[in-house]
């Protein structure tokens, strides 16, 4: 079936994997990738599909309502997968207004533009969907109830009782929102607007909340690519507090598969949690990264552990996130495809094999290139 799908934030980390999957898997779809190309957006992430006949890139700011109206109407968009967001907690602490503008007002502009266009059509909302990708951070934090004597590394698939190493409490789709950072507060607000547009106007919407992603093409302000690059260059590895904070990690291609499945088979107005059933303390994760990078670079075992530098903890730093994905597993049959050991090996190899990409990102040359390319458009 011919469909015109708008994917926002498609030049970013998760978005580029979703765009690639849809372009390659659905040749009858026209995929419109809308990205502002801020520091975290890079079209080099999509070089392999940029000339595909069913792919179009549009540079635009989601917070510009008239632009969203024009684009949605021009391309006759029938489905929106909304990933565009400011997402780095540290940046949100320093500049909360940018996060409110992009994450809240940008989402609202997209919703309003889609509502106006879809309601103008004879079929109105039939065959339409606004799919909003959110984060587990909107739920707040969980207690670290098993802090001592936990074996590391720890990985598991979903189990019937969902009992993991660092606690027995998990984020459910029904968990009360309790955001603790400007980033998570902005995402929580955008989630509420999406649901409000369904409840008020009848717009077909979906929301998913996902755990930490890792994999190729992630901007190197995030922990895993930052530490891989710092180890390669012999730079310090800054660890917040004592490194005891726990996160649930999911390989980005597994997230993209989940988005594909939910977009096509998820129930309108539902929320689905997406997680890796894969909890790690930060310090244990860092040691696995060090071990893997040192081995692949041919360094003596443990050589780079001396680069670990403990720094003052982040303001409002949540102790533990853990997603319960059993609803997604039972209703739609999704589960992670990779164990963490396989995923981290694949990830480290990718970054070490793509130093040109990394150097271009860290130098900032790509931003200047795009500014020059689009300044007269």
């Amino acid at each position: 079936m011919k469909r015109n799908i708008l994917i926002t934030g498609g030049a970013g980390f998760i978005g580029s994997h979703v765009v690639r999957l849809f372009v390659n898997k659905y040749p009858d779809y026209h995929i419109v990738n809308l990205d502002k190309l801020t520091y975290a957006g890079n079209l080099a992430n999509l070089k392999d599909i940029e000339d595909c006949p069913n792919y179009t890139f549009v540079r635009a700011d989601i917070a510009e309502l008239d632009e969203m109206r024009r684009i949605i109407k021009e391309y006759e968009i029938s489905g929106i997968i909304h990933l565009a967001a400011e997402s780095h907690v540290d940046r949100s602490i320093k500049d909360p207004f940018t996060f409110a503008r992009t994450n809240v007002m940008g989402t609202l502009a997209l919703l309003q533009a889609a509502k106006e266009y879809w309601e103008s059509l004879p079929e109105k909302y039939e065959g339409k969907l606004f799919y909003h990708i959110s984060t587990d951070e909107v739920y707040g934090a969980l207690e670290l109830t098993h802090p001592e004597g936990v074996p590391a590394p720890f990985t598991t698939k979903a189990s019937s009782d969902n009992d993991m190493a660092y606690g027995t409490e998990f984020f459910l789709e029904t968990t009360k929102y309790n955001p603790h950072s400007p980033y998570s507060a902005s995402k929580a607000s955008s989630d509420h607007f999406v649901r409000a547009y369904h409840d008020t106007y009848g717009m077909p919407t979906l929301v998913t909340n996902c755990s930490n992603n890792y994999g190729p093409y992630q901007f190197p302000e995030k922990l895993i690519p930052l530490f891989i690059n710092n180890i390669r260059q012999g730079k310090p590895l800054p660890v917040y507090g004592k490194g005891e904070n726990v996160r649930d990690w999911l390989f980005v291609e597994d997230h993209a598969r989940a988005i594909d499945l939910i977009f096509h088979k998820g129930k309108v107005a539902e929320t689905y949690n997406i997680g890796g059933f894969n909890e790690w303390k930060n310090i244990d994760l860092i040691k696995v990264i060090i071990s893997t990078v040192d081995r692949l670079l041919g360094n003596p075992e443990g050589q780079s552990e001396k680069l670990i530098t403990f720094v003052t903890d982040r303001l409002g730093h949540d102790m533990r996130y853990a997603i319960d994905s059993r609803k997604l597993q039972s209703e739609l049959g999704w589960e992670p495809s990779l164990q963490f050991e396989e995923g981290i090996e694949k990830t480290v190899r990718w970054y070490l094999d793509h130093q040109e990409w990394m150097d271009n990102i860290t130098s900032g040359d790509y931003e200047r290139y795009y500014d020059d390319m689009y300044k007269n458009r």
Side-chain angles (χ1 to χ4, degrees), residues 175-321:
T175 297
K176 181 180 178 181
Y177 275 29
N178 187 26
H180 292 153
S181 71
Y183 162 60
S184 56
S186 69
K187 290 298 290 184
S189 179
S190 65
D191 294 3
H192 292 321
F193 269 110
V194 172
R195 295 189 178 102
Y197 265 65
H198 171 267
D199 295 346
T200 304
Y201 307 112
M203 178 184 286
T205 65
L206 276 169
V207 176
T208 56
N209 301 83
C210 191
S211 61
N212 283 30
N213 281 215
Y214 71 97
Y217 298 109
Q218 188 171 28
F219 190 81
E221 67 185 354
K222 302 290 184 154
L223 188 152
I224 290 178
L226 173 67
F227 278 35
I228 293 171
N229 197 43
N230 282 12
I231 293 168
R232 180 178 70 93
Q233 297 182 353
K235 294 181 177 180
L237 307 177
V239 180
Y240 282 126
K242 297 179 181 179
E244 293 181 346
N245 303 75
V246 174
R247 299 293 181 262
D248 175 11
W249 292 89
L250 176 67
F251 190 63
V252 65
E253 292 178 8
D254 282 333
H255 188 188
R257 286 194 307 105
I259 290 171
D260 175 24
L261 182 63
I262 294 165
F263 181 79
H264 288 96
K265 296 185 178 181
K267 296 178 182 177
V268 168
E270 287 288 338
T271 299
Y272 296 93
N273 281 346
I274 309 172
F277 294 101
N278 177 37
E279 293 184 68
W280 286 77
K281 281 187 180 180
N282 285 346
I283 191 63
D284 293 334
L285 170 67
I286 290 163
K287 289 179 179 178
V288 170
I289 295 169
I290 290 170
S291 175
T292 306
V293 176
D294 278 345
R295 172 170 52 80
L296 293 178
L297 290 178
N299 296 335
E301 184 176 354
Q303 170 181 294
S304 299
E305 286 197 16
K306 66 179 183 293
L307 299 175
I308 294 175
T309 305
F310 293 99
V311 300
T312 302
D313 207 356
R314 169 192 284 164
L315 296 174
H317 200 179
D318 293 334
M319 179 53 70
R320 174 176 172 253
Y321 303 144

Side-chain angles (χ1 to χ4, degrees), residues 30 57 106 120 130 141 144 150 177 181 192 220 291 342 347 353:
H30 179 200
F57 173 74
S120 74
F130 190 105
L144 185 61
V150 175
Y177 275 29
S181 71
H192 292 321
S291 175
E342 181 183 358
T347 299
D353 289 343

Side-chain angles (χ1 to χ4, degrees), residues 330-341:
S330 63
E331 290 189 10
L332 299 182
W334 176 91
E335 64 177 22
S337 66
L338 291 181
Q339 289 290 332
F340 185 74
E341 291 82 353

